[in-house]
Amino acid sequence: MALDLTIHQAPTKKEKPDYDNLSFGKHFTDHMFVMDYSTEKGWYDARITPYEPLLMDPSSLVFHYGQSVFEGLKAYNSGEEVLLFRPEKNFHRLNKSNERMNIPQIDVRFMVDALKQLIHIDRDWIPTQEGQSLYIRPFIIATEPALSVKPSAQYKLMIILSPVGAYYSNSDQMSPVKIYVEDEYVRSVKGGVGFTKTSGNYAASLKAQTKATELGYDQVLWLDALEKKYVEEVGSMNIFFKINGEIITPALNGSILEGITRDSVIELLRYWGYTVNQRRISIDEVYNAQKDGTLEEVFGTGTAAVISPVGILKWKDEELVVNNNETGELSLDLYQTIAGIQTGNKEDKLGWTVPLEVKQA
């Protein structure tokens, strides 16, 4: 993809938010990346522009048939340099989502370079306090004005940036969360789009999430769509179980998102000498392990929170308490190591971080 990147600086800068009280995804930086696609030109007109609202035709296909994909990753201020965490993985995964949603492929190397340029321009927005970062949201939407059920002939790819604090509102990021096991609604099925990051997946989860919230739980744990028996993933995370020393995570099966943090946790655990089994695990197996005392830890993994220990699982009429509703040793070690690598406080022995080195024109 032979593309040039043009840069249009914002004439005035926005007021920064209160970094002592940062919420998640509420504030956005001065600039954004935009690139367009047409069947005639391919991807074209890559540019960094001031952050501003979009002007779109009401008949744009994304509004009616949901052809869209997105990603999520972060940049961290180490004090000495700005670090990205495995950004190429996110753009490769975006291409997997593109393939399933019939959206044109992107050039991963170009997108990583463009992202670096965007962050470099807005680098003074990157927060520096513990647990804070710059959240990065690439996304693609179908923009052709047409009320026809078909792949769009036009797309817009954008990247917006948001300084964020911890994903959960708990004063302690590693406080165990309460999970509601959903056995009525389903999220996805093999052969569908569950392995992609497309907006419809998340829209379909909101009814169950609302129910869980009303009952006092933080997230939903989804079971498989066919038998409603096998564990798949949590609303915004992949899930891991430590049962009698065995570390288990549901195998990728076409309906589970291939998480970047999930992959990093598996690599790190194997580097430490653990055996990680990616296999089917039923909610009955989890229930029985809790009852016989062998369910040692449960934790979720994701970009937003990194590691989220699970303290309570609500299944049917019972609350299953995990590790006395306390953060497990392995969960804490994983969080401290991965978060430390991301922020440059721990040695990156696995080569995950990418420093913000910008090519000068």
Side-chain angles (χ1 to χ4, degrees), residues 230-257:
Y230 293 100
V231 172
E232 296 225 319
E233 63 181 65
V234 179
S236 60
M237 301 180 289
N238 295 111
I239 192 80
F240 285 75
F241 303 89
K242 186 168 183 251
I243 299 176
N244 199 26
E246 180 187 8
I247 300 169
I248 307 160
T249 191
L252 301 175
N253 60 3
S255 64
I256 295 174
L257 182 69

Short mmCIF file of all heavy atoms in Angstrom, two decimals, residues 230-257:
data_model
loop_
_atom_site.label_atom_id
_atom_site.label_comp_id
_atom_site.label_asym_id
_atom_site.label_seq_id
_atom_site.Cartn_x
_atom_site.Cartn_y
_atom_site.Cartn_z
N TYR A 230 -20.86 -24.78 27.98
CA TYR A 230 -19.43 -24.55 27.99
C TYR A 230 -19.11 -23.06 28.09
O TYR A 230 -19.73 -22.22 27.42
CB TYR A 230 -18.78 -25.14 26.74
CG TYR A 230 -18.87 -26.64 26.71
CD1 TYR A 230 -19.86 -27.28 25.95
CD2 TYR A 230 -18.01 -27.43 27.47
CE1 TYR A 230 -19.96 -28.66 25.94
CE2 TYR A 230 -18.10 -28.80 27.46
CZ TYR A 230 -19.08 -29.42 26.70
OH TYR A 230 -19.19 -30.79 26.70
N VAL A 231 -18.12 -22.73 28.92
CA VAL A 231 -17.71 -21.35 29.15
C VAL A 231 -17.07 -20.80 27.88
O VAL A 231 -16.27 -21.49 27.23
CB VAL A 231 -16.72 -21.28 30.33
CG1 VAL A 231 -16.14 -19.88 30.45
CG2 VAL A 231 -17.41 -21.70 31.62
N GLU A 232 -17.40 -19.55 27.54
CA GLU A 232 -16.78 -18.91 26.37
C GLU A 232 -15.95 -17.70 26.80
O GLU A 232 -14.75 -17.77 26.86
CB GLU A 232 -17.86 -18.53 25.35
CG GLU A 232 -18.56 -19.76 24.78
CD GLU A 232 -18.72 -19.73 23.30
OE1 GLU A 232 -19.05 -18.66 22.76
OE2 GLU A 232 -18.53 -20.79 22.66
N GLU A 233 -16.56 -16.58 27.09
CA GLU A 233 -15.79 -15.42 27.53
C GLU A 233 -16.67 -14.51 28.36
O GLU A 233 -17.89 -14.66 28.42
CB GLU A 233 -15.20 -14.66 26.34
CG GLU A 233 -16.21 -14.07 25.39
CD GLU A 233 -15.55 -13.34 24.22
OE1 GLU A 233 -14.88 -14.01 23.41
OE2 GLU A 233 -15.71 -12.13 24.12
N VAL A 234 -16.03 -13.54 29.01
CA VAL A 234 -16.74 -12.52 29.78
C VAL A 234 -17.02 -11.35 28.84
O VAL A 234 -16.40 -11.23 27.77
CB VAL A 234 -15.90 -12.08 31.00
CG1 VAL A 234 -16.60 -11.01 31.81
CG2 VAL A 234 -15.63 -13.29 31.89
N GLY A 235 -17.95 -10.47 29.21
CA GLY A 235 -18.38 -9.40 28.34
C GLY A 235 -17.26 -8.64 27.65
O GLY A 235 -17.29 -8.43 26.44
N SER A 236 -16.26 -8.22 28.40
CA SER A 236 -15.16 -7.45 27.81
C SER A 236 -13.81 -8.14 28.00
O SER A 236 -12.78 -7.49 27.88
CB SER A 236 -15.12 -6.06 28.45
OG SER A 236 -14.92 -6.16 29.85
N MET A 237 -13.82 -9.43 28.30
CA MET A 237 -12.57 -10.11 28.63
C MET A 237 -12.62 -11.56 28.20
O MET A 237 -13.68 -12.16 28.09
CB MET A 237 -12.32 -10.08 30.14
CG MET A 237 -12.24 -8.71 30.77
SD MET A 237 -11.93 -8.81 32.56
CE MET A 237 -13.51 -9.42 33.15
N ASN A 238 -11.44 -12.15 27.99
CA ASN A 238 -11.30 -13.60 27.98
C ASN A 238 -11.20 -14.07 29.43
O ASN A 238 -10.98 -13.27 30.34
CB ASN A 238 -10.05 -14.01 27.20
CG ASN A 238 -10.15 -13.65 25.72
OD1 ASN A 238 -9.44 -12.77 25.24
ND2 ASN A 238 -11.03 -14.32 24.99
N ILE A 239 -11.36 -15.38 29.65
CA ILE A 239 -11.44 -15.89 31.02
C ILE A 239 -10.47 -17.05 31.22
O ILE A 239 -10.25 -17.86 30.31
CB ILE A 239 -12.89 -16.33 31.35
CG1 ILE A 239 -13.10 -16.58 32.83
CG2 ILE A 239 -13.33 -17.50 30.49
CD1 ILE A 239 -13.30 -15.35 33.64
N PHE A 240 -9.87 -17.12 32.41
CA PHE A 240 -8.94 -18.18 32.80
C PHE A 240 -9.37 -18.77 34.13
O PHE A 240 -9.90 -18.05 35.00
CB PHE A 240 -7.52 -17.63 32.95
CG PHE A 240 -6.81 -17.33 31.66
CD1 PHE A 240 -7.13 -16.21 30.91
CD2 PHE A 240 -5.80 -18.15 31.20
CE1 PHE A 240 -6.49 -15.92 29.72
CE2 PHE A 240 -5.14 -17.88 30.01
CZ PHE A 240 -5.48 -16.76 29.27
N PHE A 241 -9.12 -20.07 34.30
CA PHE A 241 -9.39 -20.77 35.55
C PHE A 241 -8.13 -21.51 36.00
O PHE A 241 -7.44 -22.11 35.18
CB PHE A 241 -10.52 -21.79 35.37
CG PHE A 241 -11.80 -21.20 34.87
CD1 PHE A 241 -12.04 -21.09 33.51
CD2 PHE A 241 -12.77 -20.75 35.76
CE1 PHE A 241 -13.23 -20.55 33.04
CE2 PHE A 241 -13.96 -20.21 35.30
CZ PHE A 241 -14.20 -20.10 33.94
N LYS A 242 -7.87 -21.46 37.30
CA LYS A 242 -6.80 -22.29 37.88
C LYS A 242 -7.47 -23.30 38.77
O LYS A 242 -8.03 -22.96 39.82
CB LYS A 242 -5.82 -21.42 38.67
CG LYS A 242 -4.60 -22.19 39.18
CD LYS A 242 -3.52 -21.24 39.70
CE LYS A 242 -2.28 -22.02 40.14
NZ LYS A 242 -2.12 -22.02 41.60
N ILE A 243 -7.45 -24.56 38.32
CA ILE A 243 -8.14 -25.64 39.02
C ILE A 243 -7.13 -26.71 39.37
O ILE A 243 -6.53 -27.34 38.48
CB ILE A 243 -9.28 -26.24 38.17
CG1 ILE A 243 -10.33 -25.16 37.85
CG2 ILE A 243 -9.91 -27.43 38.88
CD1 ILE A 243 -11.43 -25.64 36.93
N ASN A 244 -6.90 -26.89 40.66
CA ASN A 244 -5.97 -27.91 41.15
C ASN A 244 -4.62 -27.81 40.45
O ASN A 244 -4.02 -28.80 40.06
CB ASN A 244 -6.57 -29.31 40.95
CG ASN A 244 -5.90 -30.36 41.83
OD1 ASN A 244 -5.36 -30.05 42.90
ND2 ASN A 244 -5.93 -31.60 41.38
N GLY A 245 -4.15 -26.57 40.29
CA GLY A 245 -2.84 -26.32 39.68
C GLY A 245 -2.86 -26.23 38.17
O GLY A 245 -1.87 -25.81 37.57
N GLU A 246 -3.95 -26.64 37.53
CA GLU A 246 -4.05 -26.59 36.07
C GLU A 246 -4.63 -25.25 35.64
O GLU A 246 -5.65 -24.80 36.18
CB GLU A 246 -4.95 -27.73 35.56
CG GLU A 246 -5.11 -27.73 34.04
CD GLU A 246 -6.12 -28.76 33.56
OE1 GLU A 246 -6.81 -29.37 34.40
OE2 GLU A 246 -6.22 -28.94 32.33
N ILE A 247 -4.00 -24.62 34.67
CA ILE A 247 -4.50 -23.34 34.15
C ILE A 247 -5.23 -23.62 32.85
O ILE A 247 -4.67 -24.17 31.90
CB ILE A 247 -3.36 -22.34 33.95
CG1 ILE A 247 -2.65 -22.08 35.28
CG2 ILE A 247 -3.90 -21.02 33.37
CD1 ILE A 247 -1.36 -21.33 35.17
N ILE A 248 -6.50 -23.22 32.81
CA ILE A 248 -7.39 -23.55 31.70
C ILE A 248 -8.01 -22.27 31.17
O ILE A 248 -8.46 -21.41 31.94
CB ILE A 248 -8.51 -24.50 32.16
CG1 ILE A 248 -7.95 -25.73 32.87
CG2 ILE A 248 -9.40 -24.90 30.97
CD1 ILE A 248 -8.96 -26.44 33.75
N THR A 249 -8.06 -22.16 29.86
CA THR A 249 -8.82 -21.09 29.21
C THR A 249 -9.56 -21.70 28.03
O THR A 249 -9.04 -22.61 27.38
CB THR A 249 -7.91 -19.93 28.76
OG1 THR A 249 -8.71 -18.81 28.39
CG2 THR A 249 -7.00 -20.30 27.62
N PRO A 250 -10.79 -21.25 27.78
CA PRO A 250 -11.54 -21.83 26.65
C PRO A 250 -10.76 -21.72 25.34
O PRO A 250 -10.18 -20.67 25.04
CB PRO A 250 -12.81 -20.99 26.62
CG PRO A 250 -12.99 -20.54 28.04
CD PRO A 250 -11.61 -20.30 28.54
N ALA A 251 -10.77 -22.79 24.58
CA ALA A 251 -10.07 -22.81 23.28
C ALA A 251 -10.80 -21.90 22.30
O ALA A 251 -12.02 -21.77 22.32
CB ALA A 251 -10.02 -24.23 22.74
N LEU A 252 -10.03 -21.24 21.44
CA LEU A 252 -10.62 -20.42 20.39
C LEU A 252 -11.39 -21.33 19.44
O LEU A 252 -10.83 -22.27 18.89
CB LEU A 252 -9.52 -19.65 19.65
CG LEU A 252 -8.66 -18.72 20.51
CD1 LEU A 252 -7.54 -18.12 19.68
CD2 LEU A 252 -9.50 -17.64 21.16
N ASN A 253 -12.65 -21.02 19.24
CA ASN A 253 -13.53 -21.95 18.52
C ASN A 253 -14.35 -21.28 17.42
O ASN A 253 -15.27 -21.89 16.88
CB ASN A 253 -14.47 -22.63 19.52
CG ASN A 253 -15.34 -21.62 20.26
OD1 ASN A 253 -15.28 -20.42 19.99
ND2 ASN A 253 -16.15 -22.10 21.18
N GLY A 254 -14.02 -20.03 17.10
CA GLY A 254 -14.79 -19.32 16.10
C GLY A 254 -15.84 -18.40 16.67
O GLY A 254 -16.38 -17.56 15.95
N SER A 255 -16.13 -18.54 17.97
CA SER A 255 -17.08 -17.63 18.60
C SER A 255 -16.45 -16.84 19.75
O SER A 255 -17.13 -16.07 20.42
CB SER A 255 -18.31 -18.39 19.11
OG SER A 255 -17.95 -19.30 20.12
N ILE A 256 -15.16 -17.06 19.98
CA ILE A 256 -14.44 -16.39 21.07
C ILE A 256 -13.41 -15.45 20.48
O ILE A 256 -12.67 -15.80 19.56
CB ILE A 256 -13.76 -17.43 21.99
CG1 ILE A 256 -14.81 -18.29 22.69
CG2 ILE A 256 -12.87 -16.74 23.02
CD1 ILE A 256 -14.22 -19.43 23.50
N LEU A 257 -13.34 -14.23 21.03
CA LEU A 257 -12.38 -13.24 20.55
C LEU A 257 -10.95 -13.67 20.90
O LEU A 257 -10.68 -14.09 22.03
CB LEU A 257 -12.67 -11.87 21.17
CG LEU A 257 -11.76 -10.73 20.71
CD1 LEU A 257 -12.01 -10.38 19.26
CD2 LEU A 257 -11.97 -9.51 21.59
#
